[in-house]
């Protein structure tokens, strides 16, 4: 106990937050007295139980329902219409097809919905439980007497008991704070403020003696889980472009047909389109600088890129995808990071094309980089392009 008090008394941010929580809870308990503090303690414990039960049931329910929802959506044979779609339809087809195809997203949505349902059901029981609690611990009136008129356990004894219960509540709240900090540091080890948290003696003692033995093995995978979530949302972004660009403008379709005229194999068509896009579309440095320096992003459709003959990597990749689909190729826009001139990596986009007549293999290509060399399925492509998926 002495060592815990010593860590709590050290003047650092985490210890100060915990001390403030304990002090406020103790004073509040003293003011409420024994009866009021007991009700707050019951409410605190009830809420903790409700959260734990809801999380467990939602997790198990999501695991059970996820494959059922996937199979049900797959049986619907949902296909994105080859026409211009409004914003609402774009959102609908992106959401439905992503739920069907992306397991982590589907689990997350089901988990959230089931958790909300569980909390609604459990919260519906609160009036009954609190009514029973009121019968056992009657509320203190303004005159310090109970509903029946008999004196309550008041004065110093009531305030002392209330303060003790308040301190217990403060300990529970402080533990929740420490648990939240533990999850934050474990899942996002390089995020804002993590250095300050790790420097706290109180946090380190709580984490090593109480939290890590229980959840450490799970949360050590936190960064991996975070990367998986980021990758899943990146796949949803890629799906969004597939839905938005499902319609093929006539002029782009005609150009693609002319470019691939006489080509027989999928690889020949893919190569011809790569050469055409790579030599016709100039990199829009003004657009890139606007985004990097001012945070201003100009969204443009493939038809805009086709007409202006300018665009950044995502614009080039989207135009290539639309042209490739118009001649029957199975293609996708890939987002991730690409190697920069200084040896680092930065956000980038490119394409993958399926060679249906060549064994069904997917090959990568980067028409944006065509002016710097041959980036049509070259050896070592994955060393310069890292797909975050």
């Amino acid at each position: 106990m002495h060592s815990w008090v010593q860590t709590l008394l050290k003047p650092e941010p985490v210890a100060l937050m915990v001390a403030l929580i304990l002090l406020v809870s103790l004073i509040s308990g003293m003011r409420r007295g024994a009866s009021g503090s007991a009700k707050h303690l019951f409410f605190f414990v009830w809420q903790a139980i409700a959260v734990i039960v809801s999380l467990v049931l939602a997790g198990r329910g999501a695991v059970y329902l996820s494959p059922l929802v996937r199979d049900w959506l797959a049986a619907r044979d949902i296909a994105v219409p080859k026409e211009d779609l409004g914003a609402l339809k774009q959102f609908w087809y992106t959401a439905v097809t992503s739920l069907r195809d992306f397991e982590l997203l589907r689990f997350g949505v089901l988990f959230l919905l089931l958790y909300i349902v569980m909390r609604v059901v459990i919260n519906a029981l609160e009036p009954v439980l609190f009514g029973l609690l009121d019968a056992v611990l009657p509320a203190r009136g303004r005159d310090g007497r109970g509903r029946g008129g008999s004196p309550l356990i008041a004065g110093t004894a009531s305030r002392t008991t209330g303060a003790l219960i308040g301190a217990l509540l403060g300990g529970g709240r402080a533990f929740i704070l420490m648990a939240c900090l533990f999850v934050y540091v474990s899942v996002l080890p390089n995020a804002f403020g993590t250095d300050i948290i790790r420097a706290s003696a109180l946090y380190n003692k709580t984490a090593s003696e109480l939290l890590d033995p229980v959840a450490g093995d799970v949360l050590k995978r936190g960064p991996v889980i975070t990367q998986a979530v980021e990758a899943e949302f990146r796949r949803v972004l890629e799906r969004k472009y597939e839905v938005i660009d499902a319609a093929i403008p006539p002029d782009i379709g005609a150009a693609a047909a002319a470019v691939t005229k006489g080509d027989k194999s999928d690889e020949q068509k893919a190569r011809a389109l790569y050469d055409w896009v790579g030599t016709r579309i100039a990199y829009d440095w003004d657009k890139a600088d606007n985004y990097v320096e001012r945070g201003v992003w100009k969204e443009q459709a493939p038809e805009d890129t086709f007409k202006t003959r300018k665009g950044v990597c995502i614009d080039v990749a989207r135009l290539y995808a639309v042209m490739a689909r118009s001649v029957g190729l199975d293609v996708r826009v890939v987002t991730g990071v690409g190697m920069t001139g200084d040896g680092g990596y930065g956000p980038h986009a490119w394409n993958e094309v399926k060679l249906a007549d060549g064994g069904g293999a997917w090959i990568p290509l980067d028409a944006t980089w065509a002016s710097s060399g041959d980036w049509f399925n070259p050896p070592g492509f994955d060393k310069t392009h890292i797909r975050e998926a």
Side-chain angles (χ1 to χ4, degrees):
M1 176 63 77
H2 180 66
S3 62
W4 284 97
V5 174
Q6 282 185 321
T7 57
L8 181 60
L9 293 178
K10 289 184 178 179
E12 46 88 6
V14 175
L16 290 175
M17 284 192 294
V18 171
L20 182 61
I21 290 173
L22 292 173
L23 180 61
V24 171
S25 298
L26 187 146
I27 294 174
S28 299
M30 186 180 298
R31 294 181 59 188
R32 286 192 295 261
S35 177
S37 296
K39 289 179 180 179
H40 274 75
L41 178 60
F42 177 85
F43 179 77
F44 178 81
V45 173
W46 167 256
Q47 287 295 314
I49 293 174
V51 169
I52 293 172
V53 170
S54 298
L55 288 173
V56 171
L57 293 179
R60 293 184 177 181
V63 170
Y64 175 76
L65 291 176
S66 181
L68 299 179
V69 172
R70 177 200 61 205
D71 295 342
W72 184 83
L73 289 174
R76 304 279 79 77
D77 195 22
I78 300 170
V80 181
K82 304 296 183 181
E83 60 188 45
D84 289 326
L85 302 175
L88 186 59
K89 285 188 176 181
Q90 289 176 6
F91 173 80
W92 166 254
Y93 282 106
T94 300
V96 171
T97 58
S98 296
L99 286 173
R100 179 193 63 196
D101 299 336
F102 304 148
E103 182 179 358
L104 187 58
L105 174 67
R106 185 171 59 251
F107 175 85
V109 171
L110 288 172
F111 177 85
L112 180 61
L113 291 176
L114 289 173
Y115 178 79
I116 293 173
V117 171
M118 292 297 106
R119 289 307 305 270
V120 169
V121 172
I122 292 176
N123 289 345
L125 300 175
E126 286 187 0
V128 177
L129 292 174
F130 294 154
L132 295 174
L133 186 64
D134 283 336
V136 176
L137 298 171
R140 178 172 175 164
R142 293 181 180 177
D143 58 354
R145 304 174 67 87
R147 294 172 182 168
S150 61
L152 292 170
I153 300 175
T156 303
S158 179
R159 287 193 294 271
T160 302
T161 304
L164 291 174
I165 297 176
L168 182 61
L169 273 168
R173 291 165 180 158
F175 183 78
I176 289 177
L177 170 65
M178 301 302 285
C180 291
L181 294 179
F182 181 69
V183 172
Y184 179 67
V185 171
S186 299
V187 175
L188 302 170
N190 300 316
F192 174 78
T194 53
D195 291 340
I196 297 175
I197 297 172
R198 291 194 196 95
S200 166
L202 179 61
Y203 168 79
N204 288 320
K205 188 173 181 61
T206 306
S208 61
E209 296 185 14
L210 299 179
L211 298 173
D212 196 59
V214 176
D217 290 340
V218 175
L219 288 178
K220 283 176 183 175
R221 298 195 297 269
V224 177
I225 296 173
T226 302
Q227 292 174 2
V229 172
E230 292 175 352
E232 192 84 332
F233 278 101
R234 192 173 293 276
R235 294 175 67 193
V236 174
L237 177 63
E238 295 171 7
R239 177 58 52 86
K240 184 193 78 169
Y241 287 131
E242 293 176 12
V243 172
I244 293 175
D245 300 337
I248 301 172
D251 51 350
I252 294 181
V259 170
T260 59
K261 184 178 180 180
D263 294 322
K264 303 298 183 182
S265 69
D266 289 346
E267 185 172 3
Q268 289 174 339
K269 293 177 183 178
R271 163 65 83 168
L273 291 174
Y274 164 84
D275 292 337
W276 190 92
V277 173
T279 56
R280 299 304 195 283
I281 308 302
Y283 193 82
D284 193 342
W285 289 105
D286 291 336
K287 177 177 178 177
D289 292 341
N290 256 343
Y291 178 69
V292 172
E293 298 173 4
R294 304 178 184 86
V296 178
W297 174 253
K298 178 186 175 184
E299 188 73 49
Q300 65 187 62
E303 192 161 18
D304 298 326
T305 308
F306 181 77
K307 289 179 179 178
T308 62
R309 294 294 198 267
K310 292 197 306 181
V312 294
C313 57
I314 187 63
D315 306 319
V316 175
R318 289 176 65 186
L319 175 60
Y320 182 91
V322 171
M323 296 185 75
R325 291 191 191 105
S326 72
V327 295
L329 295 176
D330 195 357
V331 63
R332 54 197 178 201
V333 174
V334 181
T335 55
V337 293
M339 184 174 288
T340 57
D342 58 4
Y345 287 87
H348 194 45
W350 60 94
N351 297 101
E352 289 179 349
V353 177
K354 184 178 182 180
L355 304 181
D357 56 2
W362 286 87
I363 62 169
L365 60 96
D366 188 347
T368 305
W369 287 9
S371 60
S372 66
D374 186 5
W375 291 98
F376 183 87
N377 193 27
F381 188 93
D382 57 348
K383 294 181 180 178
T384 56
H385 298 68
I386 300 176
R387 175 177 183 161
E388 296 184 6

